[in-house]
Amino acid sequence: MSQGTSSTREIPETGPIPKHIAIIMDGNGRWARKRYMPRMAGHKQGVETVRSVIKACSEHGVEYLTLFAFSSENWRRPTDEVSFLMQLFTGALEQEITKLHENGIRFKVIGDISKFESKIIQFIQKGEQLTAHNSKLTLTIAANYGGRWDIMQAMRRMIEKSTDSPLHLEEENLARYLSMNYAPEPDLFIRTGGECRISNFLLWQLAYTELYFTDTLWPDFDESEFDLAIQSYQQRERRFGQTSEQIQQ
């Protein structure tokens, strides 16, 4: 699926390896609780899993990896946990951006980052600028992101900038203002932790994405678990509205 291609407007090209993987990293708190540790320990261990999944994507030839780090609804969590997550995010930005750059990885953040402290915003902007021309893998972090927010902000921008009547606007007019307009739609969506929902993540972009749910908690999502997700994807028949007979022809 090429950049900007809509799976509801044309049938994209697909292959055995997903070009774009999107992940909800769920289960950090439960992983820690099972070990009689504070929830924060689970979040910290989850960062290690992020590193290993980035490595696995690079080795498999995945071109885009999008991780749901903090949703617009996560502000409802206990204040001390939110504070720790912000500290963890700041630390990860400070420590990892240079490594990403050295490995040819482009770094992007989607979401309403205006709600974050200025230090986090500065790290995000510097990271995006530093890695802007890298092409091995595009790592996108969804932070203070929500699928409905994304559609609404795209609609507002579209109406603001468009000279056409709203009656004449098409899907592609809106799509260019979505947060991930630089990437193809995800081929594979993974959610760890046993929950089977998409939780307001990439609502527009997941229209024809293959969904994979696993009970494995995010800190335990190692390379073998990643391979299982890829194998599951390879067994899917991606029809995009067609019949099996059409695909086989």
Side-chain angles (χ1 to χ4, degrees):
M1 188 183 300
S2 63
Q3 179 177 318
T5 298
S6 167
S7 58
T8 56
R9 301 292 290 244
E10 56 185 280
I11 299 171
E13 294 182 5
T14 60
I17 298 298
K19 180 177 285 189
H20 184 178
I21 297 177
I23 305 178
I24 292 182
M25 308 174 290
D26 200 10
N28 290 337
R30 282 169 286 158
W31 181 90
R33 191 162 58 246
K34 284 173 63 176
R35 290 160 177 76
Y36 303 100
M37 300 163 72
R39 287 177 59 85
M40 286 62 168
H43 292 306
K44 194 170 183 180
Q45 186 62 35
V47 173
E48 298 299 321
T49 303
V50 169
R51 293 191 183 101
S52 66
V53 168
I54 291 172
K55 182 173 181 288
C57 283
S58 295
E59 292 174 347
H60 281 77
V62 175
E63 297 179 28
Y64 296 84
L65 171 64
T66 302
L67 303 176
F68 205 4
F70 192 84
S71 79
S72 49
E73 291 74 53
N74 284 155
W75 295 106
R76 301 169 182 168
R77 293 191 175 190
T79 304
D80 59 342
E81 182 171 348
V82 170
S83 177
F84 179 81
L85 288 170
M86 292 302 107
Q87 292 174 24
L88 195 62
F89 190 27
T90 303
L93 288 169
E94 192 170 12
Q95 297 171 23
E96 304 298 327
I97 295 298
T98 301
K99 297 176 186 176
L100 293 175
H101 183 52
E102 290 171 351
N103 285 284
I105 296 172
R106 180 169 64 150
F107 172 75
K108 300 280 287 182
V109 173
I110 58 172
D112 184 7
I113 66 170
S114 67
K115 299 293 192 296
F116 294 134
E117 294 179 359
S118 59
K119 184 177 181 180
I120 292 179
I121 296 173
Q122 289 171 8
F123 276 132
I124 290 172
Q125 292 172 340
K126 288 180 181 178
E128 290 184 333
Q129 292 168 5
L130 176 66
T131 65
H133 300 294
N134 295 340
S135 58
K136 185 174 183 180
L137 169 71
T138 296
L139 169 65
T140 299
I141 303 298
N144 196 28
Y145 175 88
R148 291 183 177 179
W149 165 87
D150 196 3
I151 294 169
M152 287 301 300
Q153 66 84 27
M155 185 174 68
R156 291 190 187 101
R157 291 172 62 201
M158 177 186 68
I159 293 171
E160 177 186 344
K161 295 180 179 296
S162 177
T163 57
D164 295 329
S165 164
L167 296 176
H168 297 146
L169 295 173
E170 301 289 346
E171 178 183 307
E172 56 265 25
N173 297 116
L174 179 67
R176 71 180 59 147
Y177 295 108
L178 291 167
S179 296
M180 295 210 71
N181 56 17
Y182 56 87
E185 295 173 10
D187 299 291
L188 175 64
F189 164 91
I190 299 170
R191 179 166 188 156
T192 61
E195 303 291 354
C196 297
R197 54 178 176 265
I198 60 175
S199 296
N200 197 22
F201 184 42
L202 300 177
L203 296 180
W204 179 283
Q205 297 86 346
L206 293 178
Y208 269 100
T209 301
E210 298 299 322
L211 308 182
Y212 178 82
F213 300 98
T214 174
D215 290 334
T216 302
L217 303 176
W218 177 245
D220 291 328
F221 192 79
D222 56 17
E223 187 174 348
S224 63
E225 292 288 341
F226 180 85
D227 288 341
L228 287 175
I230 297 296
Q231 290 168 21
S232 174
Y233 171 80
Q234 292 171 340
Q235 293 167 9
R236 311 288 178 89
E237 184 179 66
R238 305 195 71 195
R239 297 195 294 271
F240 300 100
Q242 301 175 100
T243 65
S244 293
E245 288 75 17
Q246 286 176 292
I247 299 297
Q248 291 163 9
Q249 290 173 3

